[in-house]
Amino acid sequence: MLKHKTSQSQSTEEDKFKLKHQSLLQDFLEFQKEFVSKKKKLQMTKQKRDILSTEIRFLRQRYRYLMAMKSHNLQLQQDPAPPENSSMQSEDIRKLLSTKKKPKHGIINGKSVEKKISWQDQTTVMNV
């Protein structure tokens, strides 16, 4: 009988341990699910924050650019005379354009060049 009592007490203790283990395992799994869901939520929040900070950075740059353009346009309206640099640039452009024109009267690089056309060459071209 003594063996029977000890085996019965051991089985009840094992059952208690199993129940305790099961309840602890269940708690652990619940905490793990909660942890995973909170981690995902945190990642989503960080991603939203990063997107918003990027948008803010872009909007600040755009605002600075637009304000600079506005002040530049106001400056141009108040000062209708072109700056000295732009007039010098237009003169340089005129000089470049004038030098790139076809030479007149057979002048190339300051030397006169005569182009001779023989009548024979023209007649041979006509006959062909």
Side-chain angles (χ1 to χ4, degrees):
M1 269 208 142
L2 194 57
K3 283 186 176 181
H4 189 15
K5 261 188 169 180
T6 57
S7 71
Q8 201 175 30
S9 68
Q10 283 180 351
S11 71
T12 57
E13 285 182 25
E14 284 180 16
D15 289 342
K16 286 180 184 180
F17 284 128
K18 283 183 181 180
L19 281 173
K20 189 171 184 177
H21 175 73
Q22 233 175 4
S23 69
L24 288 174
L25 183 63
Q26 192 174 10
D27 288 345
F28 171 76
L29 292 174
E30 287 176 12
F31 285 130
Q32 191 177 20
K33 285 181 184 179
E34 187 179 332
F35 171 76
V36 169
S37 68
K38 287 186 178 190
K39 187 175 181 180
K40 285 182 182 179
K41 188 175 179 181
L42 178 64
Q43 286 176 342
M44 293 294 288
T45 306
K46 283 182 179 181
Q47 188 177 10
K48 286 180 183 178
R49 183 195 63 201
D50 291 343
I51 290 170
L52 287 174
S53 65
T54 304
E55 287 177 358
I56 288 171
R57 189 178 328 120
F58 168 76
L59 290 172
R60 284 180 179 161
Q61 288 174 351
R62 183 72 177 159
Y63 176 76
R64 281 189 231 119
Y65 170 76
L66 290 175
M67 293 306 288
M69 291 301 295
K70 184 178 177 182
S71 66
H72 180 70
N73 288 341
L74 287 175
Q75 189 179 31
L76 288 178
Q77 288 175 355
Q78 290 174 355
D79 188 21
E84 293 179 23
N85 291 342
S86 64
S87 64
M88 292 180 88
Q89 288 176 353
S90 61
E91 289 175 12
D92 293 339
I93 291 171
R94 280 188 223 132
K95 287 179 184 177
L96 287 172
L97 290 176
S98 65
T99 58
K100 288 189 177 186
K101 289 182 182 177
K102 293 183 179 178
K104 294 182 181 178
H105 307 292
I107 298 175
I108 298 175
N109 293 332
K111 297 180 182 179
S112 63
V113 177
E114 294 181 19
K115 185 175 181 182
K116 295 181 181 178
I117 300 175
S118 66
W119 287 97
Q120 294 173 352
D121 290 340
Q122 287 182 358
T123 56
T124 56
V125 171
M126 286 183 183
N127 290 335
V128 174

